[in-house]
Amino acid sequence: PPVPAPGYKGKVVAGAGVKVRAGPSTAYAQIGSALPYGTFVSGDELHTTSSAEKWLHITAPTVGWVAVMYAGTVLVELS
């Protein structure tokens, strides 16, 4: 059987949801609509901007970057 690719899985825990962006910063444009609370995401790259800011490149349910942590607040809980 094929070996699953290493990656990240998580769930959106921000009450307002998270925006999907074209890059790992709020300076990048938003792609589509925000992912609502409770959405499960899969990603392949974690980018740490600072101790209070981390971004995940997601591949499902859409492709782009979401803030896992922003200004010290966890927005996506990684499992």
Side-chain angles (χ1 to χ4, degrees):
V3 177
Y8 300 90
K9 296 210 178 299
K11 184 174 87 168
V12 178
V13 293
V18 292
K19 293 177 179 175
V20 181
R21 296 194 177 270
S25 159
T26 56
Y28 288 91
Q30 183 177 340
I31 302 171
S33 52
L35 301 178
Y37 175 88
T39 302
F40 286 95
V41 297
S42 298
D44 59 4
E45 184 184 343
L46 193 61
H47 178 79
T48 302
T49 308
S50 69
S51 60
E53 188 177 329
K54 294 179 183 177
W55 292 79
L56 178 66
H57 181 259
I58 60 168
T59 52
T62 186
V63 176
W65 291 85
V66 295
V68 172
M69 177 190 279
Y70 193 78
T73 301
V74 174
L75 305 179
V76 176
E77 200 170 73
L78 297 178
S79 52

